[in-house]
Amino acid sequence: MDVFSAFLGHHSPRCVLLLLMVLSSGSYTASAVPRASNIGKFWHVTDFHYDHTYWTSQLSCNANVSDPGALGDYWCDSPWSLVFKAVQAMVTHYQDVDFLIWTGDTVAHISDDHLSVDQNLDILQNITRLLQTAFPDKTVYASYGNHDYYPANQFPDLDVDSLDSLIYNRTAEMWKDWIGDSAQLDTFRLGGYYTGLVSPKLRVVCLNTNLYYTSNKQTPGTQDPSDQMRWLRGVLQGARNASQKVIITAHIPPGVHTPTRVVWYQMEFQTPIISMLQDFTDVIVAMHFGHDHHDGFKVFYDKQGRAAVPLFVAPSVTPWRYKLKNGITGPAHNPSLRLVTYDRDTGRHLDIQQLWLDLPNSPRNDTFQQLYTFTQHYKVPDISAQSLDQLVTRMGSDEEGTKLLQDYYKFSVAGADQEGKTCDKKCQGTFLCGFKHYELTSFDKCVEDYTTSSSPRLLMWPLSSAAAAVVVHLLMMVAVVNPV
């Protein structure tokens, strides 16, 4: 019998859970609640995927839709009525935000032979104007999605002597009032990335992670496409020197997409960018992404294994479900919007309010309604990395945690009916491991251990060296009192 099994054999699951919750975060202390005047909100909207052919040739649809809904269909990308309804809902629900995050994929899932540079730019321009009209005095921190470029996914590796991307240059003109600074417009024209200040102590960094996408054939073998990683390190170091906190935002997230076990980054880029981000976990307060179309989060750890940064993936506006050539289809999911509450002084993230549109019952029920509020539903004090880390431990520990994991499964598709399906043990394992593991090797090992082991689930995550030392000390004390 190993020492962990011996410890578990002598102590209740509740005792073990509390111990590991403390160890996983270093220490557990209640976070001070910021003064009401220091609390702000921002919208995160992503993956509109506007299909201008929805009412005609339905080029984005993955099935024959003979009776298209007024606000969309699960098999298709968004009609303009849904795009407009989503932006209208943001204005109606909460217009006085500090800023907005828009993480791309505005163009529909339509093949390149039916699109062009001009068509893609027209679509970007239409939704840019819609957001500018709806929030005329707010900054929108906008990023490209992989479908926004033409040809799709093929973001180029440029250098300062070849700023010849028509899409970059024309989008820079569209977004120049949001980007503001001329130096940032230059980096945008180089690689579609830039940074801006929300306040003197809080900065947003908009990355172009499409440069690292597995479907991008322009960048493999390039050490640092468009100089983005070198630039990012400089921005983060500058923020540290200025005592600023940073919100990272981009379209494609790092890590393993669950429950499908997909890694979106080419490994030659994922490993170095994760390592760099770990170097600045004292600066980064949160990361926000789109692309997955699913609602989700991950916990980002520093190099000592401590929960350090929350990573959030927002669900899409489009209800489009994928259909692969082998006949495998993705789950149905509803259109969704995200409102984030944060501390203006520190950037610390406090809560998420997720809105959804009940697509099968629209337009009879054609308003975006609240699906959940994160802290209330999951019973956490905030949405910091430490709180998420402890939540994940709870999800893998007992019946109440398993119920929360089932809720997470339901929320991941914005409440869409999954025809009675629940998240089985393998599904649970992929979610639980995906929360914490960013590389496929460790992720696969974690899932295998979870699905084949009869040991308590809490043992599936490695502890930091400091936490392990504490465990050994405690186990030695236990062994004296209760020898095996």
Side-chain angles (χ1 to χ4, degrees):
M1 181 180 294
D2 60 48
V3 290
F4 288 106
S5 298
F7 180 74
L8 290 168
H10 287 281
H11 290 77
S12 68
R14 180 179 294 274
C15 172
V16 177
L17 173 61
L18 290 173
L19 172 64
L20 290 186
M21 285 175 66
V22 170
L23 293 174
S24 65
S25 61
S27 61
Y28 180 72
T29 57
S31 300
V33 178
R35 297 190 306 276
S37 60
N38 293 338
I39 295 176
K41 296 180 186 291
F42 64 87
W43 283 109
H44 181 187
V45 62
T46 191
D47 293 84
F48 282 109
H49 285 293
Y50 165 49
D51 182 1
H52 58 288
T53 72
Y54 176 80
W55 296 109
T56 55
S57 50
Q58 299 181 340
L59 292 175
S60 73
C61 300
N62 280 324
N64 182 24
V65 179
S66 58
D67 185 22
L71 292 175
D73 186 277
Y74 284 141
W75 289 112
C76 306
D77 274 322
S78 306
W80 184 255
S81 55
L82 176 58
V83 173
F84 184 84
K85 177 67 70 174
V87 175
Q88 181 186 52
M90 290 192 287
V91 173
T92 302
H93 188 78
Y94 198 86
Q95 189 174 22
D96 192 27
V97 289
D98 294 343
F99 59 93
L100 294 85
I101 289 174
W102 172 23
T103 48
D105 260 9
T106 304
V107 178
H109 297 84
I110 295 175
S111 63
D112 288 338
D113 54 340
H114 293 287
L115 293 170
S116 66
V117 168
D118 286 338
Q119 281 184 293
N120 285 27
L121 286 166
D122 284 346
I123 291 168
L124 282 171
Q125 181 72 80
N126 286 338
I127 298 184
T128 296
R129 286 174 178 161
L130 183 62
L131 289 170
Q132 288 170 335
T133 302
F135 296 92
D137 59 343
K138 308 298 182 184
T139 297
V140 178
Y141 294 98
S143 305
Y144 284 121
N146 55 293
H147 283 273
D148 298 333
Y149 206 80
Y150 184 87
N153 311 313
Q154 306 310 310
F155 287 80
D157 170 34
L158 300 181
D159 60 51
V160 292
D161 296 322
S162 61
L163 303 181
D164 57 357
S165 169
L166 182 59
I167 287 182
Y168 285 170
N169 292 333
R170 284 179 54 183
T171 309
E173 290 302 308
M174 289 183 211
W175 295 352
K176 64 182 178 181
D177 290 340
W178 292 339
I179 297 174
D181 184 91
S182 60
Q184 301 308 316
L185 284 168
D186 288 343
T187 65
F188 187 88
R189 292 186 177 99
L190 172 64
Y193 56 86
Y194 62 100
T195 182
L197 282 173
V198 174
S199 69
K201 293 299 182 183
L202 182 62
R203 176 177 295 280
V204 174
V205 173
C206 298
L207 297 178
N208 183 7
T209 52
N210 306 289
L211 292 167
Y212 314 135
Y213 188 29
T214 52
S215 295
N216 188 345
K217 308 305 181 187
Q218 305 301 308
T219 57
T222 304
Q223 185 174 2
D224 184 9
S226 292
D227 204 32
Q228 181 171 229
M229 289 192 205
R230 186 201 62 80
W231 172 86
L232 175 59
R233 180 173 289 278
V235 169
L236 293 175
Q237 184 61 56
R240 177 183 282 161
N241 296 343
S243 299
Q244 295 171 347
K245 297 298 182 181
V246 171
I247 297 172
I248 299 280
T249 179
H251 182 63
I252 303 177
V256 184
H257 172 56
T258 55
T260 55
R261 191 190 171 271
V262 174
V263 175
W264 299 123
Y265 286 19
Q266 300 170 40
M267 290 311 300
E268 63 185 295
F269 302 128
Q270 171 149 293
T271 300
I273 198 167
I274 286 177
S275 178
M276 185 205 305
L277 294 173
Q278 286 178 317
D279 288 339
F280 291 95
T281 53
D282 60 313
V283 175
I284 304 168
V285 290
M287 295 186 276
H288 295 274
F289 300 91
H291 186 68
D292 288 356
H293 291 205
H294 283 53
D295 186 340
F297 70 83
K298 297 180 184 296
V299 184
F300 197 83
Y301 297 86
D302 64 18
K303 290 185 175 178
Q304 287 70 48
R306 297 169 298 200
V309 180
L311 186 158
F312 303 102
V313 180
S316 60
V317 171
T318 184
W320 181 90
R321 59 190 301 190
Y322 65 81
K323 185 175 184 179
L324 303 181
K325 292 180 180 179
N326 59 8
I328 295 175
T329 59
H333 55 94
N334 286 312
S336 201
L337 301 166
R338 170 165 292 178
L339 184 65
V340 181
T341 304
Y342 77 107
D343 181 348
R344 291 188 178 114
D345 289 335
T346 65
R348 183 166 61 91
H349 284 30
L350 304 174
D351 211 348
I352 286 172
Q353 185 181 30
Q354 198 64 45
L355 306 183
W356 72 307
L357 180 74
D358 186 5
L359 190 62
N361 294 314
S362 64
R364 189 157 37 93
N365 180 20
D366 66 350
T367 57
F368 279 80
Q369 315 247 354
Q370 180 174 302
L371 179 61
Y372 70 87
T373 298
F374 200 104
T375 57
Q376 292 178 7
H377 190 85
Y378 289 112
K379 296 180 176 58
V380 291
D382 55 29
I383 54 173
S384 64
Q386 293 79 15
S387 293
L388 296 184
D389 187 60
Q390 293 160 15
L391 172 60
V392 172
T393 300
R394 286 164 52 206
M395 284 178 166
S397 66
D398 54 28
E399 289 185 8
E400 180 184 1
T402 300
K403 182 182 181 304
L404 289 177
L405 193 58
Q406 293 293 342
D407 291 343
Y408 180 85
Y409 173 69
K410 178 182 69 176
F411 293 153
S412 73
V413 292
D417 179 23
Q418 296 305 304
E419 301 173 344
K421 294 179 181 177
T422 58
C423 191
D424 59 17
K425 187 170 184 179
K426 183 174 182 180
C427 167
Q428 293 170 25
T430 59
F431 279 135
L432 289 168
C433 296
F435 288 137
K436 298 197 170 194
H437 292 268
Y438 285 73
E439 305 288 355
L440 267 182
T441 302
S442 62
F443 171 83
D444 287 341
K445 178 65 165 60
C446 174
V447 174
E448 180 183 4
D449 290 347
Y450 180 85
T451 54
T452 60
S453 174
S454 59
S455 301
R457 305 175 201 172
L458 289 170
L459 300 183
M460 40 184 291
W461 299 294
L463 300 171
S464 67
S465 57
V470 176
V471 169
V472 170
H473 177 70
L474 289 172
L475 290 174
M476 290 175 66
M477 294 173 63
V478 170
V480 172
V481 177
N482 298 305
V484 178

